[in-house]
Amino acid sequence: MSFHRRRYPYYNRLRRLLPLVFAVFLSLLILFAFLSFLAPFPGDSDRLPPRVRYSSSDAIKATGFRIPRAGGRSDRDIWRSRNAEFFFGCSNASSKFANAKAVTRNDRYLVIATSGGLNQQRTGIVDAVVAARILNATLVVPKLDQKSYWKDASDFSHIFDVDWFISFLSDDVKIIKQLPLKGGRTWSTSRMRVPRKCNERCYINRVLPVLLKRHAVQLNKFDYRLSNKLSDDLQKLRCRVNYHALKFTDPILTMGNELVRRMRLRSKHFIALHLRFEPDMLAFSGCYYGGGDKERRELAAIRRRWKTLHINNPEKQRRQGRCPLTPEEVGLMLRALGYGSDVHIYVASGEVYGGEESLAPLKALFPHFYSKDTIATKEELEPFSSYSSRMAALDFLVCDESDVFVTNNNGNMAKILAGRRRYLGHKPTVRPNAKKLYRLFMNKENTTWEEFSSRVRSFQRGFMGEPKEVRAGRGEFHENPSTCICEDTEAKAKAQMESRKLGKKNKSTNKDAAVTVTNDDQTEEDEPDWSEPDYEEEQSDLKDRGLYNGTSLDYDDPSTSDEPELEEMLSD
């Protein structure tokens, strides 16, 4: 009894403290819950944006390695091609190339119906002029494809300056806007098709006999119907047509140049990217990008539109480099090549598969991200928006004027622009070496960024649009117009001589400076290599690599008849 009385004050004090302890504990619990709510969930960074984690720190973190925001060190000037100043376009006719008035027969008329979208039609127009010259015929201004996949009602004069086209080529080929009347009635033409890669002898043997008999012949589905291997004068004629005679109409030029001006206002340099990651493109390529059953169902539904399309092994396609890179992979390649997050990018693309979710990793790497829809108003684009070829022409102009052009698919636009940029100064044109990059992307979690970027730069040698990276005569002529590119060998030799003298002078200066450095912790830096690199030796593996391993048409086999029409259109 006395024991309970002695302990009673203690229990009273404890009883009074319990509510206070409980209140403190509850307050701490509430505070902890509040802080936990504000903190990001550990898994969120793996999901937004997909495949690339983004943070506000000085680097963007990807699985397994850190991607710097800056471009870092590079072994080249990222905005120009090496030795480009020693090469220039040369497409004047030789003294042996007779004037059109001397060779054109008045009773021969050639009508051409082109095929596909803007750039596929462009190749047809260029080759149509050469075909007319081979046949000594008068060329009627080519007809553009208005009914097939593209469903564009534009004719030649809506896209190209037809009067300039006729007058510029007047010494080479006689061109008229329409067939003359015969006996007061429209001339009836004989319609036919020629094989792909038809050479001069082929036109003489197949078309000329019909032309002599009917006097007017229409060649249908005219695209890639002329051989890559022609006489130098005919090749140079191709270049005069493609790079000089084919000029866009004033409305297209004005809008296109305005888009370029607005990009230049934002930055001194910019990259133009032909992304080619549209649903139709991916469906036709037969590639798979890890989107699970949803992706398989969606792309399979698109493929069912074409009954003759065979199903490829997606893994094999990607392993062989026949799949376009994902937007994220394009961004990683560009960062590895030295382009930092401050670089401005203009994207020429249709609907991107996966929409903003697919583009998010690329935008995280390059926040300065534009298209014609973001730098022009809807009202400004309205005169062009209902015509796919005119919209494509705007993208063509911006890509052509860009400091660096990046193509994700070696289709018609990529080929035409690659050749044009070579002819007009070898502005850098980047084509992913998809076959080798694929293996690198698959294993990037097991490497460091430094090793990854070094290997990307190594793999991209020969895929950057530099002089002589593709040997003369190799590949599609529209992509590699080697006959029309000349080299200033004297200026190059003089520059090499001055470079060697400067190298010797600097080497001597460095040695003298090194003697004066004593008893300190400084180390002599590696001396720069001032000698001219042997570029031919560096590109010795081009034969094994080929021109490009991306999804494209194999137009180089003259025995091949007509490839599926859809493949031609999707490659544009």
Side-chain angles (χ1 to χ4, degrees), residues 86-359:
F86 304 122
F87 296 83
F88 58 94
C90 52
S91 59
N92 290 336
S94 73
S95 57
K96 298 179 181 179
F97 198 67
N99 189 282
K101 294 179 180 178
V103 297
T104 304
R105 303 297 177 88
N106 294 328
D107 59 347
R108 300 180 190 177
Y109 295 94
L110 184 65
V111 182
I112 296 292
T114 62
S115 177
L118 173 68
N119 297 289
Q120 191 171 337
Q121 291 177 350
R122 188 178 184 120
T123 62
I125 294 167
V126 170
D127 291 350
V129 174
V130 180
R133 175 72 191 207
I134 292 172
L135 298 167
N136 293 330
T138 296
L139 177 68
V140 180
V141 170
K143 300 177 182 180
L144 302 188
D145 185 354
Q146 298 176 335
K147 297 180 180 179
S148 65
Y149 178 84
W150 301 100
K151 295 181 173 61
D152 188 325
S154 302
D155 61 28
F156 190 100
S157 61
H158 289 132
I159 300 174
F160 302 106
D161 186 332
V162 65
D163 294 325
W164 172 263
F165 178 74
I166 292 172
S167 62
F168 187 89
L169 295 170
S170 59
D171 290 339
D172 300 310
V173 173
K174 182 180 178 182
I175 304 174
I176 57 177
K177 293 184 179 179
Q178 57 186 14
L179 278 170
L181 296 177
K182 182 180 181 181
R185 294 183 298 177
T186 303
W187 202 304
S188 176
T189 60
S190 178
R191 302 188 178 192
M192 60 182 296
R193 290 171 69 175
V194 292
R196 287 186 176 275
K197 301 304 178 186
C198 196
N199 57 24
E200 295 177 62
R201 183 179 296 275
C202 172
Y203 277 91
I204 297 299
N205 292 339
R206 290 174 178 264
V207 184
L208 185 58
V210 182
L211 194 58
L212 293 174
K213 182 178 180 180
R214 300 298 300 271
H215 306 294
V217 171
Q218 176 170 319
L219 301 181
N220 292 329
K221 297 283 292 179
F222 198 83
D223 62 314
Y224 295 97
R225 305 286 164 175
L226 190 62
S227 172
N228 276 333
K229 297 179 181 179
L230 300 172
S231 67
D232 284 357
D233 268 323
L234 291 180
Q235 297 286 48
K236 288 180 180 292
L237 175 56
R238 263 178 164 170
C239 296
R240 291 197 293 279
V241 181
N242 205 355
Y243 309 131
H244 300 284
L246 276 179
K247 186 173 73 171
F248 290 120
T249 59
D250 286 341
I252 292 175
L253 281 175
T254 300
M255 188 69 242
N257 290 334
E258 179 61 19
L259 295 176
V260 173
R261 188 186 74 84
R262 292 176 187 179
M263 288 300 298
R264 294 280 181 218
L265 285 175
R266 289 168 168 80
S267 179
K268 180 181 179 181
H269 300 293
F270 74 92
I271 293 173
L273 168 60
H274 193 213
L275 194 54
R276 294 306 274 130
F277 205 70
E278 294 90 349
D280 286 350
M281 181 70 209
L282 302 188
F284 191 83
S285 70
C287 300
Y288 173 69
Y289 291 93
D293 292 338
K294 181 176 181 290
E295 178 185 326
R296 291 188 178 93
R297 285 195 305 270
E298 290 174 346
L299 298 185
I302 298 173
R303 278 194 288 271
R304 281 197 291 271
R305 299 176 192 174
W306 308 288
K307 297 178 181 178
T308 59
L309 186 62
H310 63 279
I311 299 176
N312 297 315
N313 181 334
E315 178 61 28
K316 182 179 179 182
Q317 289 288 98
R318 195 141 164 79
R319 192 168 58 248
Q320 292 178 345
R322 299 184 180 276
C323 297
L325 303 187
T326 67
E328 178 190 18
E329 290 168 347
V330 172
L332 290 174
M333 177 190 71
L334 289 176
R335 180 70 93 252
L337 290 174
Y339 300 98
S341 60
D342 59 331
V343 169
H344 288 56
I345 291 185
Y346 176 93
V347 176
S349 177
E351 174 194 0
V352 174
Y353 182 70
E356 284 301 313
E357 186 178 1
S358 292
L359 287 173

Side-chain angles (χ1 to χ4, degrees), residues 551-570:
T551 306
S552 62
L553 302 178
D554 182 7
Y555 288 124
D556 293 327
D557 183 3
S559 64
T560 304
S561 58
D562 296 328
E563 286 84 359
E565 180 179 350
L566 176 67
E567 187 167 356
E568 302 165 9
M569 295 185 290
L570 286 177

Side-chain angles (χ1 to χ4, degrees), residues 8-21:
Y8 184 74
Y10 171 78
Y11 282 112
N12 284 341
R13 289 195 300 272
L14 183 62
R15 214 176 272 168
R16 286 194 296 269
L17 286 173
L18 280 176
L20 181 61
V21 172

Side-chain angles (χ1 to χ4, degrees), residues 405-447:
F405 173 58
V406 181
T407 172
N408 197 21
N409 167 262
N410 206 28
N412 294 304
M413 180 171 173
K415 290 176 181 176
I416 291 288
L417 276 169
R420 181 178 176 85
R421 290 169 69 87
R422 282 191 172 100
Y423 181 83
L424 297 175
H426 281 89
K427 290 188 290 185
T429 301
V430 181
R431 296 168 295 125
N433 184 354
K435 188 173 183 178
K436 290 193 174 181
L437 290 178
Y438 160 73
R439 296 194 292 268
L440 190 56
F441 287 133
M442 291 300 100
N443 296 304
K444 67 179 186 292
E445 294 85 358
N446 302 319
T447 186

Side-chain angles (χ1 to χ4, degrees), residues 535-563:
Y535 198 70
E536 289 292 336
E537 184 176 347
E538 284 186 8
Q539 309 307 330
S540 61
D541 64 343
L542 276 175
K543 186 174 181 180
D544 296 329
R545 295 185 183 185
L547 285 176
Y548 182 68
N549 292 315
T551 306
S552 62
L553 302 178
D554 182 7
Y555 288 124
D556 293 327
D557 183 3
S559 64
T560 304
S561 58
D562 296 328
E563 286 84 359

